[in-house]
Amino acid sequence: MTASLEQLRRCHFAVDLGAARTRVYVKGAGLVVDQPSAAAVNTRTGALIAVGELAEKMTGRTPHYIRVVRPVTGGTVVDIEMAQRMLRHLLGDKMRRSLRRKPILRAAACTPHDSDPLAQRATIETLVGLGARRVELVDTLLAAAVGCGLPVEQPEATMIMVCGAAATQVAVLSLGAIVTAERIPVGGEAVDHAIVQHLRHQHELMLPSQSVRPLQLALSGNGLTPHGPASTEIHGRDVATGLARSVLVDTAAVRDAIQTPLTAILDGIGKVLRDCPPDLVADLADRGIMMVGGSALLPGLDEMLREATGMPVRIAERPDVCAVQGLGAMLEGKIEPLALDPLGA
């Protein structure tokens, strides 16, 4: 754990800056912000027009002088100033005033596993711009494991898979630390991109920017497994004529199209298990994998992993907010460290 539990208990608020959504947990108030990581800007004046849900709805529907930007990419802040402006508006004046009353405002934030020092610095600078005097960083894998109720402080193996928009992180945890972990640069966006490319090449159809998720839901029921619906109707724009058109898409072909990104995730799980001590792998045969993150809800993904690994696979109760809830539990002092007293001579 990058920051100690004692340091985290002193923090007043926690932020999970994700590529898809931004979440803020305030000590004593709970989860106060859960909005898309998007902001709409007037390029002529530089004024911020909308943030969160409203900015997300504007994607692909704005005149040329309004641009929808995403200040966070792959769990890394790529535009510090815009991320600060977005967070200020999402928190609102009332919440920011109450935070500013703290004598020394402390914040906690999630960082992806093995993130480089520049990415960590960008996260710290973003929260310092909100008035934080000190920022504690916590590995997303640990925060998510705490948030979904895994016994991370115990001397037994737990395996967690954080399915994000831009990357998938897999780790085996024991005694409150990461034993072995892997970050795979494939997430929900890669699955979306594979579906978009399939429809463009096979059906000459361009999808609206916000309709890929509904397509994934059209595969639902059993989703990625062969037991799902045989076909589904998709509306989009013809590549050649530019006119609106509907096509009947074979869902088996869509499942084949997304095999490439999903195979990369399976390879990452295999690498983590190969690097893990045998005793811990024996624990995992019974406990299996806990899936968290927004992309964990991709229909049928859990069943595909179950068939490929032969291990039990479970999805957390609220997989999308596990990381920030874990940070919140640490802030509120709900997590007790395992007491390891040094043996006397």
Side-chain angles (χ1 to χ4, degrees):
M1 194 176 293
T2 319
S4 71
L5 286 172
E6 191 57 42
Q7 290 170 322
L8 288 167
R9 284 196 188 105
R10 297 188 195 132
C11 293
H12 302 102
F13 72 104
V15 179
D16 178 16
L17 281 166
R21 295 184 79 85
T22 292
R23 299 176 177 95
V24 181
Y25 186 103
V26 174
K27 194 173 186 175
L31 189 65
V32 296
V33 172
D34 183 2
Q35 296 273 347
S37 303
V41 184
N42 186 328
T43 54
R44 291 174 180 169
T45 63
L48 199 61
I49 295 169
V51 294
E53 297 278 3
L54 186 54
E56 179 94 337
K57 288 176 183 173
M58 290 183 179
T59 306
R61 300 171 183 269
T62 58
H64 66 90
Y65 61 89
I66 294 177
R67 193 162 57 97
V68 177
V69 296
R70 292 186 171 274
V72 185
T73 303
T76 302
V77 179
V78 292
D79 186 339
I80 294 173
E81 185 191 351
M82 188 54 66
Q84 289 172 350
R85 293 173 72 185
M86 180 184 77
L87 276 169
R88 283 192 200 105
H89 280 79
L90 288 175
L91 279 169
D93 292 337
K94 186 179 177 184
M95 185 58 71
R96 280 191 296 127
R97 275 198 301 271
S98 72
L99 287 173
R100 277 202 299 264
R101 291 193 194 107
K102 312 289 182 189
I104 299 177
L105 184 62
R106 295 170 181 257
C110 288
T111 54
H113 181 69
D114 274 352
S115 57
D116 59 81
L118 274 177
Q120 294 180 9
R121 189 72 205 163
T123 303
I124 291 169
E125 290 290 335
T126 301
L127 297 185
V128 166
L130 287 177
R133 299 281 296 278
R134 185 180 173 91
V135 180
E136 308 290 355
L137 298 180
V138 180
D139 196 302
T140 302
L141 289 162
L142 281 168
V146 170
C148 64
L150 291 178
V152 290
E153 296 292 341
Q154 299 303 313
E156 54 190 39
T158 52
M159 190 169 188
I160 188 159
M161 179 173 162
V162 179
C163 309
T168 300
Q169 302 171 69
V170 186
V172 175
L173 311 171
S174 182
L175 286 172
I178 294 170
V179 177
T180 176
E182 188 74 16
R183 188 168 178 230
I184 308 130
V186 171
E189 289 174 358
V191 175
D192 289 350
H193 183 70
I195 295 173
V196 167
Q197 291 302 311
H198 168 75
L199 292 173
R200 188 178 183 120
H201 294 146
Q202 299 298 320
H203 299 279
E204 296 184 343
L205 193 75
M206 283 183 71
L207 285 179
S209 59
Q210 296 176 4
S211 70
V212 179
R213 290 293 170 183
L215 173 58
Q216 290 178 358
L217 293 174
L219 295 174
S220 64
N222 293 307
L224 306 176
T225 64
H227 310 298
S231 61
T232 184
E233 190 176 17
I234 304 297
H235 307 283
R237 191 180 77 186
D238 191 284
V239 172
T241 65
L243 299 174
R245 184 161 67 90
S246 298
V247 295
L248 203 62
V249 178
D250 180 18
T251 53
V254 174
R255 284 195 295 272
D256 290 341
I258 60 179
Q259 281 304 312
T260 303
L262 295 177
T263 302
I265 294 172
L266 287 173
D267 290 345
I269 293 173
K271 186 176 186 307
V272 168
L273 290 172
R274 285 194 298 275
D275 294 344
C276 190
D279 291 350
L280 293 182
V281 175
D283 285 351
L284 295 174
D286 298 327
R287 294 192 183 89
I289 305 170
M290 176 67 82
M291 292 175 64
V292 302
S295 298
L297 297 171
L298 184 65
L301 177 59
D302 56 332
E303 190 169 328
M304 195 200 81
L305 291 175
R306 206 174 287 122
E307 289 174 4
T309 61
M311 295 164 62
V313 178
R314 293 173 295 145
I315 300 175
E317 190 175 339
R318 290 195 63 195
D320 49 339
V321 296
C322 279
V324 75
Q325 293 283 22
L327 279 179
M330 294 176 195
L331 261 61
E332 305 281 6
K334 295 178 181 175
I335 308 301
E336 290 297 327
L338 184 69
L340 293 173
D341 295 325
L343 295 173

